[in-house]
Amino acid sequence: VPTPPDLGEAGIELWYHTWSAGRQWLSPESDRTIITLLCNGQDEAEGIRLMIQSGEIERFYTTANGQMVTHPLVTQLATIRTQMTGWLAALGFSPADRSRLGLAEVRVRDELDDLQRRRLERGTA
């Protein structure tokens, strides 16, 4: 799916990851808009994270009357993350979301599966 021209590096990375991870159930026609919103949110969140990390903004600051408050961009980051979680859920990016959407969950068999199978075969589960 072609990358929107306005995405930054973080958004582009999430764009490719989202389409790759959800290739079995995502539709370029119907899911493109929400994935674009998701990736724009990723770019916004990354910009805020970089400002915090560089010290350009502080998580907390003291107002003129001496009260310590959270910087508005930190609050905005939390809001963006909440919205992104909602978009990811709508797209089916957790086992519960895929189940809700009626998508089959594919698991890779591991050693615990083999151990459980052997116990069941012996009748010691």
Side-chain angles (χ1 to χ4, degrees):
V1 178
T3 308
D6 62 336
L7 289 182
E9 187 176 326
I12 290 171
E13 184 177 334
L14 182 58
W15 178 268
Y16 287 117
H17 172 74
T18 302
W19 286 111
S20 174
R23 69 184 170 279
Q24 294 177 343
W25 69 86
L26 293 176
S27 166
E29 291 78 30
S30 60
D31 295 321
R32 181 181 176 84
T33 301
I34 196 168
I35 294 173
T36 300
L37 290 170
L38 174 70
C39 294
N40 283 327
Q42 179 73 354
D43 281 338
E44 289 177 33
E46 182 65 13
I48 295 169
R49 280 192 297 267
L50 290 174
M51 285 191 278
I52 294 168
Q53 185 179 25
S54 71
E56 184 177 340
I57 65 166
E58 296 291 328
R59 287 186 176 273
F60 304 99
Y61 65 95
T62 305
T63 63
N65 66 0
Q67 184 179 16
M68 183 160 282
V69 296
T70 302
H71 193 286
L73 284 177
V74 174
T75 304
Q76 181 65 27
L77 179 59
T79 301
I80 292 168
R81 287 178 173 163
T82 299
Q83 182 60 61
M84 289 177 66
T85 300
W87 287 326
L88 287 165
L91 292 167
F93 275 92
S94 80
D97 298 325
R98 286 188 294 280
S99 175
R100 178 183 47 80
L101 295 170
L103 301 168
E105 182 69 20
V106 177
R107 283 186 58 233
V108 176
R109 204 175 92 209
D110 62 15
E111 291 178 24
L112 288 176
D113 292 329
D114 291 339
L115 177 62
Q116 185 178 20
R117 180 187 50 77
R118 286 192 304 269
R119 284 182 174 172
L120 285 172
E121 288 173 356
R122 289 192 312 252
T124 61

